[in-house]
Amino acid sequence: MIPLSVPWDDIGGLADAHERFLAGARVDSDVRDSVLDSWKRCRAAGLEPHHLLIPYSPDLDVEAPFLRAADPVLGQLTASFADVSMTVVLCDGQARMVRRHGGDRELRARLDEANFAPGFCASEDAAGNNGVGTALAERQPVYVVGREHFADCLAQFACAGAPVRNPLSGRIEAIVDLTCLRDDGDPAMVRLVREAAHAIESRLLEQATERERALLAAYRTASWRNGGAGARPRQPVPLPGELGNGHDGDGLGKLDLAVLREKAEELIASPHRTLDEVTLSGGRVATLSRRPIMGAAGETGAVVEARVQGGPRLRHVELTTPTAAGRTTPSAPPPAAAVRAVAPPPPPTVVLPEDDRGDPGAEEWLLLLGEPGVGRLAVLARRRLELLHDASVRIGTTLDVPRTAEELTEVTVPRFADVAAVDLPDSVLHGDEPGPLRAGAMLRRVALGSLHPNPHLYEVGDLFRYVASTPQARSWETGQSVLEPVLSEAGGWLAQDPARLERVLAAGIHSLITVPLRARGTTLGLVSFYRSDKPEPFEDDDLSLAQELVGRAAISIDNARRYTREHNTALALQRSMLPRGRPEQSAVEVAYRYLPAQAGVGGDWFDVIPLSGARVALVVGDVVGHGLHAAATMGRLRTAVHNFCSLDLPPDDLLTHLDDLVGRLDRGEGWAVENAHLDSGIVGATCLYAVYDPVSRQCSLTRAGHPLPAIVGPDGTVDFVDLPSGPPLGLGGMPFETVDMELAEGSQIVLYTDGLIEDRHRDIDSGLDKLRTVLARSDRAPEDTCEAVLDALLPARPSDDVALLVARTHALGPDRVAQWDFPSDPAIVSRARAAVTGQLTAWHLDDLSCTTELVASELVTNAIRHATGPVQLRLLRDRTLICEVSDGSSTSPRLRRARTEDEGGRSLFLTAQLTGRWGTRYTPDGKIIWAEQPLP
């Protein structure tokens, strides 16, 4: 519990928090957000709490219509504080104090000492945060008490302020403020000033309605005297919605009436145009004329009259307007607030067709009446709705951060601003989470839209930081939008780059709105809107529209950022799982390419895996789908292929094991139940597996639902191997078939994924034909082949991943192969040792004679003792020296540690110790035990 004796402003150590804030410490948990934002604005403006220079302007006043609306409300509010020392303050739209009512002598004296008196400015830039300046900055009611004030001299007061808006334009015309001594403060003061502001706005609206009624009465009087529209009173007729005949060709339908109404609004809003012609349905033309009108008490406005040629005569019907009591009154135009809220607004009268056909001399009839300013706002409201609609359609069409920023500038220039710029930190461009908001953060200009080729602002790609006094820096730090109607008076903005920005002002840019790009509670960047060609400065309504536009763009940019992060993560995972460099082997010369799809990383992969006996395995696969799941699944399958290759399985057996693995992954086996759903959707993976033997030049291929491989002969002929297509991996139940073929030395094996030959604009057959044409060259290296294939077949924005593997075959000639066949007789072991020694001498590998002789002797002895049939010994001189012994048994030997009393079991142990690698592989006729030694 907090003791009641503790004042409001000391709860949580606010005085200490104020000092720590001035020292640069973080005080987010100790100060209300609205107050902390205000403190940051004051600090950015360079204010010192103990030393203020407050401007003074004598003889301030506001317009008489506003005072007529405000004085009764303020008088009633002051009277309600007869027993309380409370002062009622009225300030203008620049936070300069105009009136001060009420309060006892002590309160007024203290307010005078703090320069909180008529004529002085109470804006945040001059006086720090307070009820007047902060309400103007925040554009909403505020309450500030005690040490929540930035300035020391105001810490003795409590105040609440609320802005008063013009109901026609939405512009802040004044601030109503209640101020008392700190101990007398109460947050309920906010409710009182809010209600007072609404009361003043309602009286302003009533004044506008009275003016419109006076204008309509003046029009009727003038029409009656001139024999015009009022000369022949008519009986009431149904409104357009009650006619029921729509558009029948004889009258004006709803669409024609809407077009006339829209054009009349634009004509009233234009200060210079007086005539307009509108083409209607049926070939008819309506002539609209605008003329000024003045009421009996001096009210000024304009009327638009219509004449339709080649169609029915027009007459007008007086609309009824709801009153405050819910009744309807004739001849009253709609309240101006309705003009702002609904676009387009209903006019006070509606044109209706008569039953008889008109003639070229038909009289003009009243179509719309109003004040030029209200008409301008009606047109602006409609244009803003159209702009918001276009923004919802055109922003966020891609998941690309820079492109989304460009779309925002394309939508807003020139319809809303003459220049628009989007600045983002590099972390957002890379898809990372944006860092904490700090003053002076580095931003990059990502998009710039301008009516002029050189607006003298930072260009796209420039990296910079905003100085603390600029509107952009304040917006970045506080997360609030900033409106600078007159840039030439914003000294903090010029401080960014005086030489450059003086040229900007000279080029005509005169008004600025800067809005933070905020999505899901995080600030992603800044958007700045400038005006130059449009003479009117930005207003409060423009600020609201800018916030709405930027808010929509922020969601799209955040979605694109999150997608970029996921895309980069998946791409990093994908690339980490793909081969890095080329493995050491001599069987083929390889080149490869992997290109991720623009729409997302998929599950394509390729591999080149050296096998025993100088052979090599070539693998290309494709996991259906995109994203992290596809990339992770691809990594599993690639790892599994490596493991199966270490067992030297035949191609069809390897795909059978891979098919079983995919099926188990799809069923979620081996995973916790709650994570089983993560593996759904794996069915659809395809794979092509090929093994090339440089000794026999035999190539064995098998596939599981994958596109056909291409073989390019040394003479340039291209053949797509007629390889039986097995089912995609994971379906199970069907055997895979292998095709063996002999390749001439220098042939090229081309493996690829379906993204290369197929997309939504091209079918597989046409893709294969184009691939055949590109491959029909005999003089290209694998690298050149890859480049030619991608240049010819890859679309500008591939919708699927593309993996391409090109391997040109080599042969291991007879001079590098030695082979002997021996009967299954222990006596031939010595002959085997002698053959090995002699061959190594011929190859100048005498240093390996001792080890190789012992390995060959042990392996041949094992084959004679434990296997059946003849024994074959083969030496291969490749990157390593390979010794192979084959026999007719399918039983694989097992490495074990022999005990002291055992007579055998040491041959494989010695082989493993003396060689770099050893293993067993099976053949149709038995098995082969092999061992490799590095060459000197």
Side-chain angles (χ1 to χ4, degrees):
M1 291 292 292
I2 299 175
L4 296 179
S5 60
V6 178
W8 167 280
D9 63 309
D10 286 337
I11 294 176
L14 189 58
D16 178 62
H18 186 265
E19 297 301 323
R20 288 187 288 113
F21 172 79
L22 294 175
R26 294 180 63 89
V27 293
D28 304 57
S29 60
D30 302 326
V31 185
R32 288 188 294 146
D33 290 343
S34 59
V35 173
L36 183 58
D37 291 341
S38 181
W39 285 3
K40 291 178 180 178
R41 291 193 294 266
C42 296
R43 182 175 60 185
L47 291 185
E48 299 179 8
H50 55 281
H51 179 71
L52 299 178
L53 183 61
I54 300 180
Y56 176 77
S57 302
D59 302 326
L60 288 177
D61 202 354
V62 295
E63 296 179 356
F66 184 87
L67 289 180
R68 287 198 303 270
D71 280 347
V73 177
L74 297 181
Q76 185 179 2
L77 185 60
T78 302
S80 67
F81 294 120
D83 300 329
V84 181
S85 182
M86 182 81 66
T87 184
V88 180
V89 176
L90 177 67
C91 296
D92 65 10
Q94 285 74 47
R96 298 172 300 186
M97 190 178 299
V98 179
R99 303 282 179 88
R100 193 178 76 185
H101 306 281
D104 59 18
R105 179 179 300 177
E106 178 187 1
L107 176 60
R108 291 196 300 269
R110 292 195 183 185
L111 290 173
D112 290 341
E113 292 176 0
N115 289 331
F116 203 72
F120 287 97
C121 180
S123 67
E124 278 192 347
D125 291 344
N129 61 316
N130 61 85
V132 176
T134 305
L136 182 61
E138 296 280 347
R139 292 178 171 79
Q140 61 184 352
V142 299
Y143 178 68
V144 184
V145 58
R147 287 309 306 177
E148 287 187 332
H149 288 90
F150 188 79
D152 295 340
C153 62
L154 298 180
Q156 57 187 315
F157 302 112
C159 53
V164 181
R165 299 178 182 271
N166 188 316
L168 302 182
S169 66
R171 184 184 296 110
I172 295 179
E173 298 284 356
I175 302 292
V176 176
D177 173 87
L178 294 178
T179 298
C180 62
L181 293 177
R182 181 189 64 182
D183 294 339
D184 298 330
D186 191 322
M189 296 162 58
V190 176
R191 177 179 57 82
L192 297 176
V193 292
R194 182 189 295 114
E195 293 174 352
H198 289 169
I200 297 174
E201 291 169 355
S202 297
R203 292 179 61 84
L204 288 171
L205 187 58
E206 291 174 3
Q207 290 182 10
T209 304
E210 291 173 1
R211 287 196 302 271
E212 291 181 351
R213 289 174 179 170
L215 291 174
L216 185 58
Y219 175 81
R220 285 186 174 144
T221 302
S223 299
W224 182 271
R225 291 173 180 171
N226 297 333
R232 292 187 298 153
R234 303 186 182 276
Q235 299 297 322
V237 297
L239 296 180
E242 301 168 347
L243 289 175
N245 61 346
H247 174 31
D248 56 7
D250 294 327
L252 292 180
K254 295 179 181 179
L255 181 59
D256 286 338
L257 293 174
V259 171
L260 285 174
R261 186 166 59 236
E262 180 177 342
K263 295 299 182 181
E265 291 167 2
E266 294 179 358
L267 197 57
I268 278 191
S270 173
H272 306 297
R273 295 170 54 204
T274 57
L275 290 174
D276 196 4
E277 282 192 351
V278 183
T279 301
L280 304 176
S281 60
R284 292 165 295 185
V285 177
T287 302
L288 306 182
S289 60
R290 174 188 185 272
R291 63 184 178 88
I293 191 170
M294 180 177 291
E299 302 88 352
T300 59
V303 295
V304 174
E305 296 171 317
R307 182 202 308 268
V308 176
Q309 305 290 344
R313 292 183 60 188
L314 301 178
R315 63 183 177 185
H316 70 277
V317 176
E318 296 169 355
L319 284 182
T320 58
T321 306
T323 64
R327 301 184 302 272
T328 58
T329 58
S331 308
V339 174
R340 289 193 66 249
V342 180
T349 60
V350 174
V351 179
L352 293 178
E354 286 191 347
D355 295 333
D356 54 310
R357 301 293 297 178
D359 59 84
E363 296 177 352
E364 292 182 331
W365 299 86
L366 176 63
L367 179 61
L368 185 65
L369 177 147
E371 298 179 71
V374 178
R376 180 181 71 87
L377 293 168
V379 174
L380 290 177
R382 182 173 61 253
R383 290 176 179 171
R384 286 167 177 164
L385 287 176
E386 294 171 352
L387 181 59
L388 288 174
H389 174 267
D390 289 349
S392 65
V393 173
R394 296 174 54 188
I395 297 177
T397 60
T398 68
L399 288 173
D400 181 77
V401 172
R403 179 57 193 152
T404 304
E406 291 172 0
E407 290 170 343
L408 174 61
T409 62
E410 292 169 358
V411 168
T412 54
V413 176
R415 297 168 63 181
F416 175 69
D418 300 315
V419 182
V422 181
D423 307 321
L424 303 174
D426 284 342
S427 59
V428 173
L429 292 173
H430 298 154
D432 301 330
E433 291 290 342
L437 295 181
R438 294 192 181 94
M442 295 296 294
L443 299 176
R444 188 177 298 279
R445 179 63 45 86
V446 178
L448 179 65
S450 174
L451 282 178
H452 305 289
N454 184 14
H456 302 292
L457 297 169
Y458 291 118
E459 298 292 335
V460 173
D462 288 351
L463 189 65
F464 53 89
R465 58 166 51 92
Y466 286 109
V467 299
S469 62
T470 59
Q472 288 89 345
R474 300 201 307 271
S475 179
W476 175 263
E477 187 174 4
T478 64
Q480 304 292 325
S481 303
V482 176
L483 167 62
E484 292 286 356
V486 184
L487 267 180
S488 60
E489 299 177 1
W493 175 74
L494 284 169
Q496 175 70 27
D497 189 342
R500 176 194 294 269
L501 298 184
E502 286 290 352
R503 295 196 300 269
V504 171
L505 292 177
I509 290 179
H510 58 81
S511 191
L512 163 69
I513 289 177
T514 181
V515 184
L517 270 163
R518 289 183 61 82
R520 301 176 178 91
T522 302
T523 300
L524 304 174
L526 290 171
V527 182
S528 299
F529 299 105
Y530 300 88
R531 277 189 176 170
S532 58
D533 291 20
K534 297 177 178 62
E536 64 276 6
F538 285 118
E539 301 174 347
D540 282 348
D541 281 357
D542 297 313
L543 180 63
S544 299
L545 177 60
Q547 291 170 334
E548 179 69 20
L549 290 169
V550 173
R552 298 187 181 195
I555 296 298
S556 298
I557 287 178
D558 190 51
N559 290 337
R561 178 193 65 82
R562 290 169 180 264
Y563 168 79
T564 300
R565 179 182 60 186
E566 180 180 342
H567 178 82
N568 291 341
T569 302
L571 185 59
L573 176 63
Q574 177 89 332
R575 293 195 181 280
S576 69
M577 293 180 176
L578 290 174
R580 297 185 179 182
R582 297 173 175 84
E584 294 185 357
Q585 49 83 34
S586 303
V588 292
E589 176 189 353
V590 297
Y592 49 81
R593 296 290 187 275
Y594 170 73
L595 290 93
Q598 293 292 330
V601 176
D604 292 16
W605 92 92
F606 64 90
D607 225 329
V608 179
I609 306 173
L611 301 177
S612 63
R615 299 169 305 139
V616 66
L618 308 174
V619 193
V620 171
D622 183 4
V623 176
V624 176
H626 295 89
L628 284 172
H629 179 71
T633 303
M634 176 276 294
R636 295 179 185 178
L637 298 187
R638 180 169 178 256
T639 301
V641 170
H642 270 266
N643 290 333
F644 294 147
C645 284
S646 66
L647 300 177
D648 266 321
L649 297 177
D652 53 344
D653 286 351
L654 186 143
L655 285 191
T656 299
H657 282 76
L658 198 62
D659 175 69
D660 180 63
L661 172 65
V662 172
R664 287 188 285 111
L665 290 177
D666 188 49
R667 293 189 297 271
E669 295 181 14
W671 290 82
V673 175
E674 61 269 22
N675 294 330
H677 68 281
L678 297 177
D679 285 302
S680 60
I682 297 177
V683 172
T686 66
C687 183
L688 193 150
Y689 183 78
V691 175
Y692 174 70
D693 187 345
V695 178
S696 62
R697 292 185 286 107
Q698 290 284 329
C699 184
S700 301
L701 305 99
T702 186
R703 64 177 179 142
H706 205 79
L708 293 172
I711 303 296
V712 184
D715 58 353
T717 58
V718 180
D719 292 315
F720 290 101
V721 181
D722 187 14
L723 186 62
S725 176
L729 298 174
L731 297 182
M734 295 292 292
F736 297 98
E737 297 185 42
T738 300
V739 170
D740 296 320
M741 56 189 309
E742 184 175 332
L743 301 180
E745 185 174 5
S747 299
Q748 289 192 2
I749 307 171
V750 182
L751 311 181
Y752 50 89
T753 55
D754 58 358
L756 180 68
I757 59 172
E758 182 183 16
D759 59 33
R760 56 186 177 183
H761 303 295
R762 181 178 60 201
D763 59 25
I764 293 180
D765 291 337
S766 60
L768 290 175
D769 291 341
K770 195 168 187 179
L771 178 61
R772 181 191 298 273
T773 302
V774 176
L775 292 177
R777 289 277 299 272
S778 60
D779 57 345
R780 275 198 298 240
E783 286 287 344
D784 298 331
T785 301
C786 286
E787 290 296 328
V789 168
L790 294 184
D791 290 343
L793 279 84
L794 197 65
R797 296 181 63 86
S799 58
D800 195 7
D801 288 18
V802 173
L804 174 64
L805 178 62
V806 179
R808 182 161 61 184
T809 63
H810 296 303
L812 204 61
D815 59 323
R816 303 173 68 182
V817 179
Q819 179 175 308
W820 302 273
D821 293 316
F822 299 109
S824 182
D825 183 356
I828 55 92
V829 175
S830 59
R831 290 169 49 195
R833 290 198 296 265
V836 167
T837 303
Q839 187 61 56
L840 293 180
T841 300
W843 284 343
H844 306 291
L845 296 176
D846 297 291
D847 291 344
L848 300 179
S849 294
C850 182
T851 301
T852 308
E853 179 184 4
L854 177 58
V855 169
S857 174
E858 292 293 334
L859 294 182
V860 169
T861 301
N862 268 356
I864 294 173
R865 291 184 60 183
H866 304 290
T868 59
V871 176
Q872 185 181 81
L873 172 63
R874 186 169 73 164
L875 292 181
L876 305 177
R877 182 167 60 89
D878 189 35
R879 292 178 178 269
T880 60
L881 179 64
I882 304 170
C883 178
E884 296 182 344
V885 175
S886 58
D887 57 53
S889 172
S890 59
T891 302
S892 175
R894 180 172 60 89
L895 178 65
R896 63 187 181 89
R897 184 178 295 276
R899 291 172 295 183
T900 306
E901 62 273 12
D902 290 343
E903 295 183 359
R906 296 177 178 83
S907 59
L908 290 183
F909 177 78
L910 291 174
T911 300
Q913 294 297 312
L914 296 175
T915 60
R917 294 195 313 150
W918 76 278
T920 304
R921 70 173 182 268
Y922 295 92
T923 66
D925 301 324
K927 68 175 183 296
I928 297 175
I929 302 178
W930 54 270
E932 293 182 2
Q933 301 176 72
L935 295 176

